[in-house]
Amino acid sequence: MTAPDPATHPRQFLEHLYQAAVTRAMPLHNTAACLPKPPKGRTFVIGAGKAGGSMAQAVEALWPADAPLEGLVVTRYHHIPPRPEGLPQRIEMVEAAHPVPDAAGLAASQRILAMVQGLTRDDLVLCLISGGGSALLTLPAEGLSLEDKQRINKALLNSGANIGEMNCVRKHLSRIKGGRLAAACAPARVVTLTISDVPGDDPSIIASGPTVPDASSCADALAILKRYGIDVPADVLSRLESGALETPKPGSPAFDGHEVHMMATPQQSLEAAAAAARAAGLDAHILSDEMEGESREVGKVHAALARAVALRGQPFSKPCVILSGGETTVTVRPLQAGAAKGRGGRAGEFCLGLALALQGQSGVYALAADTDGIDGVEDNAGAFVAPDTLMRAVAQGMKINGFLDRNDAYGYFEPLGDLVITGPTHTNVNDFRALLIL
């Protein structure tokens, strides 16, 4: 696809780069090279994540028509893609809640765990894992109710904990995460196909690693809960302290003969966006695919870099594109009395911090969006920032600091017409950020 002219259509150009990143991560483009040969016995496909539906369809399209195939995959509500014409369904797909788990996710997890009981060495389990699987694949440890898990999950999401910290806790409070699902599949061979949505592409963090060894410990989970002031029931706390909720570790025979294939990563998608920018005649620079930290603060750092390029041509010459990925966090601020609850996610909060720090810098445009098409729990993927963003907001009586104070990126960018709305993309390689400096 020909790129829009960045000088005359900066927003459309940045959306073009975002689409290049998303397309690179689509399962149908990446699955064939990772599929094993059909086994002597049966093949079960299980999995969870925002890309679960499209990953399952890719397997259905590529698996030999005469080879047995069955299974169950859980994805987020409204994330099952339209079925391609003529593609028969062999894998059941169900939907559940994200980012806070619900009863549908619990029921699906119970069914998946039951499905892999009694397998033989002749059987194969294909496990399809993508971001979001931690909430979708929920099976609380003994002594924890679904309501407990929901409360703990909400507290983690609001705490500012990073994804590794959140998933460490989730693994130790689960009967299916942290390698436990692989152990349940024994003695069948397990091949995990995964799309990374985490900094560093560690498969033990993606969806809390249900089929891979876990090097973290109960002590680590306890320290995280203490750090963020999150309570768990007394008997669960006692079992964490005793190590009774420990996960299967590296070297465990439960993982003998298993394989993990990384199908798509944030870095690959950033490289695809950079290639699209260069094809349009612009220099492109990838800062990192592993950026973490408070979204608004990461926005301020990007703004400082963009201003240096715009004003001094350092460290990059303009015109250029600056790209970054990773997974930032949002610490939800306490609501002031009488204030409306804010709406928004990581990408929108990044854009708030960026716009405030740019202070209308001429020639700088930006787009930040989640590659799954959903920023937090809203219907937008992210937002767009232009040199006149602050001015247009002030003209509507909106002061950006108030929106930052209540984490209300959605409420700020919606009246400006600057929300980026794509709908579910059916993949997920996490945050995408692009700055265009002309």
Side-chain angles (χ1 to χ4, degrees):
M1 182 188 297
T2 303
D5 180 9
T8 57
H9 297 90
R11 175 170 179 164
Q12 289 84 347
F13 176 74
L14 290 171
E15 289 174 344
H16 171 74
L17 300 188
Y18 169 78
Q19 192 56 53
V22 169
T23 299
R24 174 61 183 84
M26 293 306 293
L28 194 57
H29 300 167
N30 302 290
T31 301
C34 302
L35 285 178
K37 294 180 180 178
K40 291 181 182 179
R42 302 161 70 187
T43 298
F44 290 88
V45 178
I46 58 175
K50 297 175 190 174
S54 55
M55 293 176 82
Q57 287 186 0
V59 172
E60 288 174 327
L62 296 165
W63 199 251
D66 59 350
L69 188 70
E70 59 188 300
L72 174 64
V73 170
V74 57
T75 191
R76 183 176 179 167
Y77 288 121
H78 313 301
H79 276 58
I80 296 177
R83 177 159 291 274
E85 186 175 351
L87 179 65
Q89 181 163 357
R90 297 192 273 175
I91 303 165
E92 183 182 355
M93 302 178 201
V94 298
E95 296 178 326
H98 176 279
V100 177
D102 69 353
L106 176 62
S109 301
Q110 290 170 330
R111 290 181 59 199
I112 286 172
L113 203 58
M115 185 179 293
V116 299
Q117 302 300 308
L119 301 184
T120 73
R121 295 186 183 277
D122 290 335
D123 297 323
L124 170 69
V125 177
L126 282 177
C127 190
L128 311 181
I129 294 296
S130 58
S134 286
L136 297 164
L137 203 61
T138 186
L139 200 55
E142 187 177 343
L144 273 181
S145 66
L146 176 60
E147 291 72 25
D148 289 328
K149 285 295 291 281
Q150 289 171 329
R151 176 184 57 80
I152 294 166
N153 216 48
K154 287 178 182 177
L156 285 167
L157 288 166
N158 291 338
S159 71
N162 67 38
I163 187 65
E165 291 173 320
M166 287 193 283
N167 285 358
C168 174
V169 172
R170 288 162 167 166
K171 283 187 261 193
H172 289 88
L173 299 183
S174 172
R175 284 183 283 148
I176 198 167
K177 299 182 178 74
R180 292 186 175 94
L181 179 56
C185 294
R189 179 184 175 210
V190 177
V191 175
T192 300
L193 310 184
T194 187
I195 294 177
S196 173
D197 73 325
V198 301
D201 305 327
D202 183 347
S204 74
I205 297 178
I206 303 165
S208 300
T211 58
V212 295
D214 175 38
S216 71
S217 66
C218 284
D220 295 327
L222 275 168
I224 294 163
L225 290 166
K226 182 178 179 180
R227 184 178 308 139
Y228 295 105
I230 298 171
D231 295 325
V232 297
D235 60 331
V236 174
L237 181 65
S238 175
R239 285 193 292 140
L240 281 173
E241 291 171 338
S242 70
L245 294 179
E246 204 51 88
T247 48
K249 301 303 175 200
S252 166
F255 306 102
D256 288 350
H258 293 194
E259 296 177 18
V260 178
H261 297 278
M262 197 69 62
M263 291 171 47
T265 68
Q267 180 66 21
Q268 291 169 348
S269 285
L270 292 175
E271 288 171 356
R278 291 171 187 139
L282 292 176
D283 287 338
H285 309 280
I286 298 174
L287 298 182
S288 173
D289 69 328
E290 298 188 32
M291 287 199 166
E292 298 181 86
E294 279 289 324
S295 295
R296 64 179 67 194
E297 301 303 324
V298 175
K300 292 175 184 178
V301 172
H302 280 64
L305 177 59
R307 284 174 60 85
V309 173
L311 296 172
R312 293 186 292 277
Q314 295 177 338
F316 311 126
S317 298
K318 62 179 183 180
C320 70
V321 169
I322 298 173
L323 301 163
S324 73
E327 180 158 4
T328 59
T329 53
V330 173
T331 301
V332 177
R333 269 59 178 175
L335 269 183
Q336 299 298 317
K341 183 179 179 182
R343 301 171 62 192
R346 300 190 308 263
E349 183 124 340
F350 168 88
C351 288
L352 284 177
L354 178 79
L356 178 61
L358 282 173
Q359 285 295 304
Q361 175 63 52
S362 64
V364 178
Y365 302 83
L367 182 149
D370 199 310
T371 51
D372 67 359
I374 305 295
D375 188 22
V377 297
E378 305 301 335
D379 60 1
N380 66 312
F384 171 74
V385 174
D388 63 352
T389 294
L390 293 180
M391 182 181 66
R392 287 186 289 120
V394 170
Q396 295 192 36
M398 297 192 299
K399 295 182 179 180
I400 194 168
N401 284 305
F403 289 84
L404 268 168
D405 288 344
R406 61 177 182 273
N407 305 104
D408 193 14
Y410 196 100
Y412 186 80
F413 289 105
E414 183 183 35
L416 301 178
D418 286 342
L419 293 177
V420 175
I421 298 177
T422 64
T425 64
H426 309 298
T427 191
N428 181 24
V429 286
N430 232 321
D431 301 344
F432 174 86
R433 295 176 288 270
L435 278 65
L436 169 64
I437 304 155
L438 298 174

